[in-house]
């Protein structure tokens, strides 16, 4: 149960510049440690992997585990040499993949 | 004698050192927020302070960056609801009100308002329900259910930065203010605490590992890290009252509406921060 992810990538940059990328996704990140009212374990359901690609090349990825809070926020930097597209993907425990992309103009 | 003085000095610096911080909240480096201002006439305190000033550096940073603020996820959801047609009349909020950035600008800073037809004060949540029932032919949202919280957050977010100001001369609002004030100072529950016991007499001090704020209402619905979601003002009222080990009134009941009028007035002059981030 995740809504459309939010990503923030600068629209323009100069070649070789280090840019900051921010991403945020709405997700419960159910840890698998909690119990419901009847005392049954609530099954784990988290986003276990996050990846970022630039023009098909991987730039950043992260594996996530049970202790990550709800609505995970990721911020990282990347050096850009050419114009192109960032593609982001969040992989859920149930196999669904949430995707977003953003373009950057490099001069 | 000297020892006693030293102990007293230590206790004083211990309670007054950390919070509230003396800092400015500027959202995205653009929108300057009023987090500290002179209290309105008749206020028991000299200065009213936003709860933001009482939070940790990390929590404060979350609110200062509209991208990091997870409450904005709720606001985006609210925007989608604003444009969604529902009910028998085939209308969405946007059908009547158009672009919320214009039609709802600063509106949230002046609620609760007096509702002449119901002869009682009305907050944003109840105004939404009124529109849904009377104009859209849709069912009213139940408390904290459906789109109530995100839509309220979206509407109030259009007033981001605008100082809170209530017009108490409307209808019988002044009487409700009096009633709310009485409730604010009434001790309740097994712990025998009133709102004022914590938020007026002891603000800035620790309650377990958390700092007590002045309990202002200008940031609601607020994103609480504890629950990881948006929390409505009536939910927070009920949480506080529950913590005094008292029975708590129903949401939108006369008691809580009166309290909302009074508590909102106590924050007169503070910027609307919706969605604020608190712990």
């Amino acid at each position: 149960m995740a809504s459309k992810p939010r990503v923030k990538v600068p629209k323009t940059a100069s070649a070789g510049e280090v840019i900051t990328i921010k991403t945020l996704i709405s997700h419960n990140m159910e840890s698998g440690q909690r119990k419901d009212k009847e005392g049954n374990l609530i099954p784990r359901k988290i986003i276990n992997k996050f990846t970022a690609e630039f023009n098909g090349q991987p730039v950043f990825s992260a594996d996530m585990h049970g202790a990550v809070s709800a609505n995970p926020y990721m911020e990282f930097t990347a050096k850009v040499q050419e114009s192109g597209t960032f593609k982001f993907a969040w992989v859920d425990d149930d196999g669904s993949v949430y995707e977003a992309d953003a373009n950057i103009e490099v001069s | 004698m000297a020892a006693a003085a030293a102990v007293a000095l230590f206790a004083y610096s211990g309670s007054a050192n950390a919070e509230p911080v003396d800092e400015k909240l500027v959202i995205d480096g653009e929108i300057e927020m009023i987090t500290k201002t002179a209290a309105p006439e008749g206020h028991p305190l000299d200065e009213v302070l936003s709860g933001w000033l009482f939070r940790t550096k990390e929590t404060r940073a979350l609110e200062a960056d509209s991208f990091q603020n997870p409450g904005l996820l709720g606001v985006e959801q609210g925007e989608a609801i604003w444009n969604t047609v529902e009910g028998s009349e085939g209308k969405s909020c946007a059908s009547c009100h158009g672009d919320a950035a214009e039609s709802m600008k600063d509106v949230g800073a002046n609620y609760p308002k007096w509702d002449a037809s119901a002869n009682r004060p009305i907050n944003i949540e109840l105004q939404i329900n009124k529109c849904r029932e009377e104009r859209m032919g849709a069912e009213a949202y139940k408390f904290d259910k459906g789109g109530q919280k995100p839509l309220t957050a979206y509407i109030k977010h259009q007033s981001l930065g605008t100082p809170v100001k209530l017009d108490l001369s409307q209808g019988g609002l002044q009487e409700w203010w009096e009633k709310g004030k009485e409730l604010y100072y009434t001790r309740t529950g097994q712990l025998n605490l009133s709102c004022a016991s914590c938020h007026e007499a002891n603000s800035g001090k620790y309650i377990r590992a958390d700092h007590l704020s002045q309990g202002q209402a200008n940031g609601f619905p607020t994103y609480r890290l504890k629950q990881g979601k948006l929390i409505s003002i009536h939910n927070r009222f009920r949480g506080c009252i529950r913590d005094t080990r008292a029975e708590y009134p129903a949401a939108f009941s006369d008691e809580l509406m009166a309290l909302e009028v009074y508590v909102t007035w106590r924050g007169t002059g503070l910027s609307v921060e919706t969605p604020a981030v608190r712990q």
Side-chain angles (χ1 to χ4, degrees):
Chain A
M1 194 205 67
S3 68
K4 208 171 121 260
R6 301 178 81 203
V7 295
K8 194 175 180 185
V9 175
K11 286 201 170 59
T12 56
S14 44
E17 192 182 332
V18 176
I19 56 162
T20 302
I21 296 163
K22 298 173 175 184
T23 72
L24 182 68
I25 187 164
S26 156
H27 195 283
N28 283 347
M29 299 296 274
E30 191 58 60
S31 69
Q33 305 289 324
R34 300 194 307 152
K35 286 175 178 167
D36 64 15
K37 277 179 192 149
E38 280 80 48
N40 306 313
L41 217 53
I42 305 171
R44 182 184 114 145
K45 190 177 184 297
I46 67 168
I47 289 170
N48 56 51
K49 195 168 184 59
F50 169 75
T51 56
E53 280 182 1
F54 183 61
N55 291 345
Q57 295 289 319
V59 262
F60 179 87
S61 76
D63 292 328
M64 286 183 266
H65 301 276
V68 176
S69 70
N71 306 334
Y73 169 77
M74 295 265 184
E75 180 179 322
F76 55 95
T77 54
K79 199 186 247 184
V80 283
Q81 304 286 7
E82 55 184 36
S83 300
T85 308
F86 278 98
K87 279 193 189 308
F88 307 95
W90 292 256
V91 183
D92 205 328
D93 271 349
D94 65 9
S96 21
V97 180
Y98 316 111
E99 287 173 318
D101 47 44
N103 294 317
I104 184 164
E105 200 79 37
V106 175
S107 53
Chain B
M1 221 20 208
V7 166
L9 191 65
F10 177 74
Y12 176 74
S13 66
S15 66
N17 60 358
E19 321 290 337
V21 293
D22 192 15
E23 272 190 34
K24 276 216 162 88
L25 171 58
V26 184
I27 294 185
D28 294 342
E30 283 171 16
I31 307 169
E32 278 207 37
M33 308 287 280
I34 304 163
T35 52
K36 192 187 256 193
T37 188
E41 207 189 314
H43 200 290
L45 305 168
D46 297 333
E47 205 172 36
V48 289
L49 305 171
S50 160
W52 183 82
L53 297 167
F54 294 82
R55 302 278 65 88
T56 62
K57 196 168 154 239
E58 295 79 8
T59 308
R60 292 201 308 274
L62 279 181
E63 191 178 325
D65 180 342
S66 69
F67 193 86
Q68 284 191 49
N69 182 345
L72 265 296
L73 289 165
V75 170
E76 278 189 0
Q77 235 182 306
E79 186 176 7
I81 297 167
W82 179 267
N83 294 305
T84 304
V85 172
E86 251 192 280
S88 57
E89 304 299 309
K91 283 182 184 171
S92 67
C93 306
S95 314
C96 291
H97 298 289
D99 183 3
E102 279 177 34
S103 62
M104 292 295 130
K105 191 171 164 40
D106 300 347
V107 166
N110 308 320
Y111 270 81
K113 279 189 169 168
W114 184 254
D115 184 68
S117 60
N119 202 31
R120 70 193 292 261
I122 189 167
N123 58 9
I124 303 266
E125 285 92 333
L126 294 175
Q127 181 64 58
I128 291 170
N129 278 351
K130 208 175 157 186
C131 274
R132 286 177 63 84
E133 285 184 318
E134 292 175 10
R135 310 217 174 256
M136 295 166 68
E139 262 185 50
Y141 288 132
K142 292 204 174 81
F143 173 54
D144 277 355
K145 292 277 161 41
Q148 186 169 74
K149 283 189 288 178
L151 193 51
T152 306
Y154 176 63
I155 292 169
K156 282 197 88 172
H157 186 64
Q158 309 307 322
S159 308
L160 188 72
T162 310
V164 171
K165 192 173 191 321
L166 294 191
D167 178 6
L168 295 176
S169 67
Q170 306 169 328
L173 210 54
Q174 185 68 39
E175 287 161 41
W176 284 70
W177 180 92
E178 307 277 354
K179 200 164 121 189
K181 184 178 179 185
E182 198 186 318
L183 284 163
Y184 192 88
Y185 289 100
T186 304
R187 286 176 179 271
T188 174
Q190 285 181 323
L191 298 185
N192 202 28
L193 295 168
S194 69
C195 308
S197 315
C198 288
H199 295 292
E200 189 173 308
N202 288 299
S203 75
K205 292 188 187 156
Y206 273 110
I207 181 165
R208 294 193 179 173
D210 191 5
H211 279 107
L212 282 165
S213 69
Q214 287 184 351
Q216 302 292 0
N218 58 315
F220 282 90
T222 200
Y223 187 91
R224 289 192 86 208
L225 297 165
K226 181 183 164 187
Q227 281 111 335
K229 58 182 180 187
L230 285 174
I231 298 298
S232 64
I233 182 76
H234 283 231
N235 179 301
R236 193 74 277 275
F237 282 156
R238 284 154 57 101
C240 258
I241 298 169
R242 177 204 57 208
D243 291 347
T244 70
R245 299 187 191 161
E247 278 191 40
Y248 47 78
F252 311 136
S253 60
D254 288 0
E255 289 95 332
L256 293 191
M257 280 310 302
L259 199 57
E260 184 176 348
V261 170
Y262 180 69
V263 171
T264 306
W265 171 84
R266 284 178 73 100
T268 299
L270 292 176
S271 288
V272 171
E273 289 180 32
T274 308
V277 184
R278 303 289 184 257
Q279 70 202 59

